Amino acid sequence: MPDSVQITPRVSVSHQALMFPTLTPAQIEEVARHGETREVSRGEVLIHVGDTAVPFFVVKTGKIQIVRPSMRGEEVVVVHGPGRFTGEANLFLGRRSLTRAEVAEPGEVVELSHEALRHLVQTDPEMSEILMRAFIYRRVELVAHGFGDVLLFGSAHSAATLRIREFLTRNGHPFTYVDLDRDPDSQDLLDRFHVALSDIPVVMCCGGPGLRNPSNQQIAEALGFNEAIDQERVRDVVIVGAGPSGLAAAVYGASEGLNVLVVESQAPGGQAGSSSRIENYLGFPTGISGSDLAGRAYAQAQKFRAQIVIAKGATRLACDRAPYAVEMDDGSSVPARAVIIATGAVYRKLALENLSQFEGVGVYYGATPMEAALCAGEEAIVVGGGNSAGQAAAFLASGAARVHMFVRGSGLADTMSRYLVQRIEQNPSIEVRTQVEIIGLEGGDHLERVRWRDKRTGTADISDIRHVFMMTGALPNTDWLHRCVALDDKGFVKTGADLSDDDLATARWSLPRRPHLLETSLPGVFAVGDVRSGNVKRVASAVGEGSIAIAFVHQVLHQ
Ligand SMILES: Cc1cc2nc3c(=O)[nH]c(=O)nc-3n(C[C@H](O)[C@H](O)[C@H](O)COP(=O)(O)OP(=O)(O)OC[C@H]3O[C@@H](n4cnc5c(N)ncnc54)[C@H](O)[C@@H]3O)c2cc1C
């Protein structure tokens, strides 16, 4: 039996060492203090595919092999010898195991329950570092190789395909993608099973029936993303939104002992998750992609036991009684002693009649490698003059034939960071067009042409461009609050010193103190990040506000 890793034939030796470190005898003894050491016999199954809250094993003697079911039968993914350990990110996420662990050679193992492992990670920084790194690298490998239980049949002509690919990717769930435009055999097969065009994409997973054009919520349910989470218990704090601000609040809150639940309507990462490279976030001199940052923050929040409900949107804040409750779109409701509103913002949509027809099939609101691949070798338009537009243009220019930046104003200097302006000016593949606006979109099942107008001359033109990236000003995600808290004239949540006496009188503020920094017109309800009135729209400020809010949550809880 080889003591080698089969999933990673192309990864470097140092990468392998990070994924599959060997614990020293002293480290094994340390782990053993948290669990039980026991003998195991050949063939014994330690973890089944689909198990949740699985235990963690360290091999003392003998071998454990990790097997995954695949379309070609079963594959041995890796064999762990003495000093090596089982697990990947799912262990922390409390999600179902994608693989089976079974004893390949009898011997002795250390076994820790799911809870004991979490305790070890929280109390032992050395082990925490080794295990977290290994789990995250293992998950990245699984995602990169599409090693999972999900098969997605889709098409570049279906907007839902991009939605589902983004949903699975941003939730770090491995999947295999079959492009029906390039694989006529699969299309044939689906035809035989009467899968209509409107049923595409189809998601097959977990041995269940194929899901035809499923919602994100249906996928989350099928994959058991939220299975391990008790959504009825009263929480110290419920955080709505898992962008940078919400995840930061979750990390600080949970690490400081609060019972934290995060509710996220899509996937962790928020707007930052749709960024190709964030270069101005402290501590990452060479930049970090939004999805990497989100993935790390998500894992960090889980490490401290914050729980994150995925693909469930908050629809209402029940604010007329204590504890408050956050109601969700599946009809459930989570009670909370304090609430942090971290629902961020979305790009303003251009007022174009048939915009929705092309969303996901030519019109995009994020510029990740997935969208970049869709417009490789073709021309693209980026609409907007802010940092996110500049970042998207610079990123897309490396693969697209040409990138046109459509800017409403007369230049970039007032709205974009200097480093990005320079980068754009120096890139021959990017053309900046000022004072132009899109006036029409044309096409069939994909965008084919864009009509635009030069605002100075009033002349209109048409270009055969199939990809438009909308990176225009932000609108707050505050509809769900139904004016439960005071908002400014643009709909952003007012907090702290920005709340006037009138705001507080209207909200019937009843406490002798004024609202804390970041506190809304409702005591114990805070707003952080892009959703907050006056917020600087940056990752760092979102993260900073998320952490500061927790300090005030403690004060409110001890009131
Ligand atoms: C393409 C792009 C590139 C960017 N690049 C940079 C950069 O380089 N540097 C920088 O500093 N900043 C950058 N930004 C800005 C930065 O990403 C934002 O300032 C930051 O993400 C704000 O974080 P947030 O948590 O407040 O909100 P968001 O990131 O907007 O997150 C809000 C979250 O709440 C969820 N949500 C919304 N409504 C509900 C609901 N009703 N129920 C449950 N969940 C809900 C959303 O799904 C989302 O996940 C960029 C933004 C974009 C779009």
Side-chain angles (χ1 to χ4, degrees):
M1 178 69 58
D3 189 8
S4 65
V5 183
Q6 300 183 10
I7 57 169
T8 55
R10 290 182 298 279
V11 299
S12 66
V13 173
S14 60
H15 203 139
Q16 293 250 9
L18 292 170
M19 271 197 296
F20 301 109
T22 302
L23 301 184
T24 63
Q27 286 168 332
I28 296 175
E29 284 319 305
E30 184 50 37
V31 175
R33 290 199 312 109
H34 295 256
E36 172 202 0
T37 303
R38 68 177 180 94
E39 305 220 320
V40 285
S41 46
R42 188 187 306 276
E44 184 178 339
V45 176
L46 305 173
I47 299 165
H48 290 94
V49 174
D51 282 358
T52 43
V54 297
F56 166 77
F57 295 93
V58 180
V59 181
K60 284 187 90 171
T61 57
K63 283 179 181 168
I64 296 177
Q65 65 181 11
I66 306 299
V67 182
R68 77 166 189 122
S70 82
M71 277 171 288
R72 292 179 296 276
E74 293 203 323
E75 272 179 66
V76 176
V77 176
V78 61
V79 181
H80 295 304
R84 295 253 294 261
F85 52 86
T86 60
E88 55 96 26
N90 261 10
L91 232 176
F92 272 110
L93 303 176
R95 292 188 192 160
R96 295 178 197 151
S97 176
L98 299 174
T99 50
R100 186 174 76 237
E102 68 187 23
V103 178
E105 268 180 31
E108 207 177 32
V109 298
V110 175
E111 176 173 354
L112 267 65
S113 69
H114 187 240
E115 274 309 298
L117 174 71
R118 279 174 173 255
H119 186 252
L120 167 72
V121 165
Q122 276 184 300
T123 51
D124 185 329
E126 185 196 359
M127 287 310 300
S128 167
E129 166 94 24
I130 297 170
L131 299 184
M132 286 298 284
R133 198 171 39 213
F135 290 170
I136 290 172
Y137 273 92
R138 289 177 189 182
R139 172 47 65 120
V140 169
E141 278 304 303
L142 288 174
V143 172
H145 290 81
F147 280 1
D149 48 358
V150 176
L151 202 55
L152 168 65
F153 293 94
S155 155
H157 297 278
S158 113
T161 299
L162 183 61
R163 166 178 60 80
I164 294 176
R165 288 178 73 189
E166 282 186 343
F167 179 71
L168 291 169
T169 305
R170 287 180 59 176
N171 276 297
H173 198 92
F175 66 99
T176 305
Y177 176 55
V178 181
D179 185 345
L180 294 171
D181 304 328
R182 294 182 185 182
D183 183 3
D185 289 350
S186 295
Q187 179 66 67
D188 244 28
L189 188 71
L190 292 185
D191 289 347
R192 276 165 214 270
F193 284 95
H194 306 291
V195 176
L197 207 60
S198 56
D199 293 332
I200 304 291
V202 174
V203 175
M204 314 272 254
C205 71
C206 329
L211 301 172
R212 301 176 180 211
N213 194 2
S215 65
N216 291 350
Q217 204 162 348
Q218 285 172 306
I219 299 173
E221 237 164 68
L223 295 175
F225 280 0
N226 302 321
E227 249 169 24
I229 301 178
D230 174 359
Q231 290 170 39
E232 281 170 16
R233 195 153 38 115
V234 182
R235 304 289 175 150
D236 291 332
V237 58
V238 170
I239 299 164
V240 186
S245 63
L247 288 172
V251 167
Y252 282 87
S255 68
E256 292 169 19
L258 298 180
N259 183 339
V260 175
L261 182 81
V262 184
V263 177
E264 167 55 52
S265 56
Q266 305 294 328
Q271 295 169 73
S274 66
S275 165
S276 49
R277 187 145 291 267
I278 296 166
E279 296 195 51
N280 54 2
Y281 187 50
L282 190 73
F284 295 91
T286 55
I288 178 163
S289 76
S291 57
D292 272 0
L293 187 66
R296 289 175 193 211
Y298 187 30
Q300 201 172 4
Q302 304 277 344
K303 164 179 148 177
F304 291 118
R305 300 187 190 205
Q307 294 192 313
I308 304 181
V309 176
I310 296 296
K312 287 196 189 183
T315 50
R316 198 172 90 89
L317 176 61
C319 53
D320 46 359
R321 60 180 185 275
Y324 299 124
V326 173
E327 296 176 2
M328 294 185 277
D329 49 18
D330 65 347
S332 59
S333 162
V334 202
R337 298 171 66 206
V339 173
I340 296 180
I341 300 165
T343 41
V346 285
Y347 281 120
R348 188 170 283 130
K349 299 198 173 186
L350 296 190
L352 296 167
E353 201 188 350
N354 54 355
L355 180 72
S356 60
Q357 179 188 342
F358 298 114
E359 287 177 324
V361 281
V363 171
Y364 317 102
Y365 297 94
T368 68
M370 224 173 287
E371 287 88 4
L374 294 174
C375 62
E378 299 187 37
E379 294 194 48
I381 294 174
V382 174
V383 184
N387 275 354
S388 47
Q391 219 179 63
F395 171 63
L396 295 169
S398 59
R402 189 157 194 76
V403 176
H404 307 270
M405 284 195 80
F406 278 19
V407 184
R408 219 173 22 174
S410 55
L412 297 175
D414 293 344
T415 48
M416 196 181 286
S417 297
R418 188 71 213 135
Y419 81 96
L420 274 170
V421 176
Q422 269 174 355
R423 201 169 291 174
I424 284 162
E425 283 170 353
Q426 287 162 7
N427 193 324
S429 303
I430 304 177
E431 183 185 353
V432 180
R433 297 181 177 212
T434 56
Q435 300 199 29
V436 290
E437 60 182 359
I438 294 184
I439 53 172
L441 303 171
E442 294 179 8
D445 61 357
H446 196 283
L447 177 67
E448 298 298 340
R449 285 169 301 281
V450 177
R451 285 187 182 278
W452 52 277
R453 179 172 51 206
D454 185 322
K455 292 203 290 176
R456 274 167 302 211
T457 60
T459 50
D461 207 340
I462 187 160
S463 303
D464 289 341
I465 292 181
R466 302 175 69 247
H467 307 280
V468 175
F469 291 80
M470 301 285 188
M471 305 275 165
T472 44
L475 289 174
N477 288 320
T478 46
D479 286 356
W480 65 281
L481 290 166
H482 302 292
R483 297 212 155 250
C484 207
V485 295
L487 306 178
D488 71 11
D489 53 355
K490 291 188 176 133
F492 290 86
V493 182
K494 288 174 88 171
T495 54
D498 286 346
L499 287 159
S500 65
D501 288 344
D502 274 358
D503 291 328
L504 296 182
T506 310
R508 299 207 183 97
W509 180 268
S510 56
L511 302 179
R513 65 169 176 82
R514 303 274 308 178
H516 291 300
L517 187 74
L518 306 177
E519 195 172 22
T520 67
S521 56
L522 263 181
V525 177
F526 297 82
V528 294
D530 279 18
V531 76
R532 194 179 69 76
S533 175
N535 161 275
V536 180
K537 308 262 176 296
R538 294 280 185 274
V539 174
S541 56
V543 167
E545 289 182 12
S547 68
I548 295 168
I550 291 299
F552 292 110
V553 167
H554 283 297
Q555 291 193 23
V556 167
L557 295 180
H558 289 113
Q559 236 163 30

